[in-house]
């Protein structure tokens, strides 16, 4: 991936096709959007880093960071992730 230009359309299409293949293997009668919570927990396990960011978003008020400005969010994230590291 070229950092300045982003992914090419071909790269994105390859990932979309792969995701559709996985979806078709998983379910024959429904789409990912129709998954129940138990199925999401079963098939969409987050690794440790993803879990930390999900916790920050869901449990620590980081869902609306785009509305608060970079400087405020940067300071808040530094403090929150420091606390989260102390917690673990």
């Amino acid at each position: 991936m070229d950092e300045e230009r982003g992914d090419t359309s071909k790269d994105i299409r390859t990932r979309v096709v792969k995701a559709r293949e996985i979806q078709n293997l998983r379910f024959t009668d429904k789409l990912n959007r129709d998954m129940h919570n138990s199925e999401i927990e079963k098939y969409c396990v987050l690794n440790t880093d993803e879990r930390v960011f999900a916790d920050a978003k869901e449990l620590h008020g980081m869902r609306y960071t785009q509305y608060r400005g970079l400087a405020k969010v940067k300071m808040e994230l530094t403090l929150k992730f420091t606390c989260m590291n102390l917690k673990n």
Side-chain angles (χ1 to χ4, degrees):
M1 178 175 94
D2 182 0
E3 291 297 324
E4 291 185 26
R5 298 186 68 186
D7 292 342
T8 65
S9 295
K10 183 178 179 181
D11 293 336
I12 294 169
R13 179 166 175 72
T14 301
R15 286 199 309 267
V16 168
V17 168
K18 183 178 178 183
R20 285 183 180 159
E21 289 171 356
I22 291 169
Q23 179 177 319
N24 288 336
L25 289 173
R26 186 180 300 152
F27 302 116
T28 56
D29 59 340
K30 63 181 172 181
L31 301 173
N32 284 347
R33 67 172 185 230
D34 301 323
M35 291 171 65
H36 297 287
N37 287 340
S38 61
E39 293 169 323
I40 292 171
E41 290 172 4
K42 178 180 177 182
Y43 294 116
C44 304
V45 179
L46 298 178
N47 68 32
T48 304
D49 294 337
E50 292 168 329
R51 180 79 264 151
V52 169
F53 285 103
D55 285 347
K57 184 179 123 186
E58 299 297 325
L59 304 175
H60 300 288
M62 301 308 298
R63 181 176 291 262
Y64 302 104
T65 57
Q66 70 267 28
Y67 302 117
R68 293 200 299 262
L70 183 61
K72 289 180 183 177
V73 170
K74 186 175 180 180
M75 177 57 72
E76 186 177 355
L77 282 174
T78 301
L79 294 171
K80 284 189 180 198
F81 283 117
T82 300
C83 292
M84 289 173 70
N85 283 336
L86 292 173
K87 183 175 89 171
N88 295 330

